[in-house]
Amino acid sequence: YPGLGVGLRNRLDVLQRKMGRFTNKWNPREHVGNAEIVGIGWLPLPRRALTLQLGHLFKVKIGQAPSYLTGCFNHISEVHGYNTRGSDLNYSANHVSFPPGTFHHSTVREWNRLPNDLKSCRTLPVFKQKLRQYMLS
């Protein structure tokens, strides 16, 4: 999703709003914004894509990710020896290998913004449940 152009993102957004109108039997001309999408229990597409990205990084954290992903993400404690607040839970984005806008860079940036109780979950189902609640709020 982050690599899609604006035109395709807009088309997907329109499609999600049309699906919301159809499944809830709303008037075809009725306004459907993010509040209405969240009100029916769906995540807007940018948030949905973000949950999938963060799910991949969580799998890296617990050792369930494919090998080609695990080597791309480093804990901050592996990069430098300073003991910072998030050194055991946060990741570092290598700006040379993964410039801003790439999957790796944007995923690390969003992961580091999450609350620590989310990042310290032990299992994938618990993480997904808490992340969904966090994204809906």
Side-chain angles (χ1 to χ4, degrees), residues 8-25:
L8 191 52
R9 284 186 193 188
N10 288 340
R11 290 175 70 184
L12 287 171
D13 187 48
V14 167
L15 180 63
Q16 184 182 37
R17 293 173 198 287
K18 284 183 178 182
M19 289 177 5
R21 286 186 193 98
F22 177 77
T23 57
N24 292 295
K25 298 179 180 160

Side-chain angles (χ1 to χ4, degrees), residues 13-115:
D13 187 48
V14 167
L15 180 63
Q16 184 182 37
R17 293 173 198 287
K18 284 183 178 182
M19 289 177 5
R21 286 186 193 98
F22 177 77
T23 57
N24 292 295
K25 298 179 180 160
W26 293 336
N27 183 338
R29 298 285 183 194
E30 187 169 341
H31 172 73
V32 179
N34 283 343
E36 288 79 15
I37 294 292
V38 170
I40 60 176
W42 296 358
L43 288 172
L45 286 175
R47 289 186 195 172
R48 175 70 179 134
L50 182 58
T51 60
L52 295 172
Q53 285 179 266
L54 294 172
H56 286 306
L57 188 52
F58 184 79
K59 287 178 185 178
V60 168
K61 177 186 173 246
I62 62 174
Q64 292 181 354
S67 59
Y68 66 87
L69 275 180
T70 55
C72 300
F73 297 99
N74 297 321
H75 280 100
I76 288 182
S77 59
E78 296 171 4
V79 175
H80 59 73
Y82 302 113
N83 189 11
T84 60
R85 278 180 276 166
S87 56
D88 57 339
L89 297 174
N90 289 344
Y91 285 88
S92 173
N94 184 345
H95 295 286
V96 175
S97 301
F98 306 110
T102 60
F103 168 80
H104 298 86
H105 187 270
S106 62
T107 304
V108 166
R109 184 184 67 235
E110 294 299 328
W111 175 268
N112 292 342
R113 291 179 182 169
L114 289 176

